[in-house]
């Protein structure tokens, strides 16, 4: 349910961005996303994998020290990677459709497809935000554990 809610929020933000884009007659957003979105998503995925590697190593330290298991956390991390792969695949599909001459005949096609492409972009950014938040949560956990261990001594 959370993923659906997040996608809906991203869609609404993308819709508003595209309304403004059309209203001010700008082509920047469309050109930027058409030229860069796949590269941005691959970069976000590389950052995510590197960050999750760090997170998993720290969770393994915690698991060994406190005899805990983080199976649900590992599943969530794996799920986030799959989400990003789906975003890349969906972006590729949307860009193929956008550049198809057959679909140009549909009314309001450009606005709809640009909104969908923007939605995927905003969703990919939200995944990156979640990755960053995870790091800060992990830092807080380590601080709390350090404080507890120093209070025992």
């Amino acid at each position: 349910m959370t993923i659906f809610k997040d996608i809906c929020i991203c869609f609404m933000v993308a819709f508003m961005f595209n309304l403004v884009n059309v209203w001010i007659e700008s082509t920047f957003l469309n050109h930027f996303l058409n030229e860069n979105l796949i590269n941005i998503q691959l970069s976000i995925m590389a950052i995510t994998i590197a960050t999750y590697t760090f997170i998993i190593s720290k969770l393994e330290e915690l698991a060994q020290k406190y005899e805990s298991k983080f199976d649900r956390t590992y599943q969530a991390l794996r799920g986030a990677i799959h989400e990003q792969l789906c975003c890349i695949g969906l972006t590729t599909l949307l860009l193929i459709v956008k550049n198809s001459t057959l679909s140009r005949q549909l009314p309001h096609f450009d606005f709809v497809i640009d909104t969908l492409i923007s939605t995927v972009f905003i969703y990919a950014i939200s995944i990156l935000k979640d990755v960053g938040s995870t790091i800060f949560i992990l830092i807080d956990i380590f601080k709390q554990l350090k404080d507890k261990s120093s209070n025992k001594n």
Side-chain angles (χ1 to χ4, degrees):
M1 186 67 173
T2 305
I3 292 174
F4 180 73
K5 181 188 81 160
D6 291 345
I7 291 171
C8 288
I9 290 170
C10 291
F11 178 79
M12 294 305 297
V13 171
F15 183 81
M16 298 305 288
F17 268 113
N18 279 292
L19 273 180
V20 170
N21 196 44
V22 168
W23 181 59
I24 64 173
E25 299 178 7
S26 174
T27 59
F28 171 76
L29 184 61
N30 299 335
H31 289 295
F32 176 76
L33 293 178
N34 285 337
E35 299 297 322
N36 300 308
L37 187 53
I38 297 291
N39 289 333
I40 290 169
Q41 287 179 318
L42 289 171
S43 299
I44 289 172
M45 188 162 184
I47 291 167
T48 301
I49 289 171
T51 304
Y52 283 177
T53 302
F54 169 76
I55 290 169
I56 289 170
S57 70
K58 291 300 181 184
L59 290 177
E60 286 298 315
E61 285 179 30
L62 287 175
Q64 290 174 0
K65 190 172 183 179
Y66 297 98
E67 297 180 19
S68 299
K69 292 193 177 204
F70 295 97
D71 294 337
R72 286 185 22 205
T73 304
Y74 295 145
Q75 288 175 347
L77 296 176
R78 190 177 303 116
I81 297 294
H82 289 145
E83 278 182 88
Q84 288 186 326
L85 288 171
C86 288
C87 283
I88 292 168
L90 184 58
T91 298
T92 304
L93 179 66
L94 289 171
L95 289 172
I96 289 169
V97 170
K98 180 181 172 104
N99 292 295
S100 166
T101 56
L102 297 176
S103 53
R104 294 252 169 231
Q105 300 160 0
L106 301 171
H108 307 291
F109 169 77
D110 286 335
F111 183 79
V112 171
I113 198 78
D114 289 339
T115 300
L116 293 174
I117 291 169
S118 297
T119 300
V120 176
F121 172 67
I122 293 167
Y123 190 73
I125 297 298
S126 77
I127 292 171
L128 185 60
K129 177 195 69 84
D130 290 344
V131 171
S133 297
T134 303
I135 290 293
F136 288 107
I137 290 169
L138 190 60
I139 289 169
D140 287 342
I141 290 170
F142 271 99
K143 282 182 183 178
Q144 290 172 4
L145 291 173
K146 185 178 177 183
D147 290 343
K148 282 183 183 178
S149 67
S150 65
N151 287 340
K152 287 182 181 179
N153 296 331

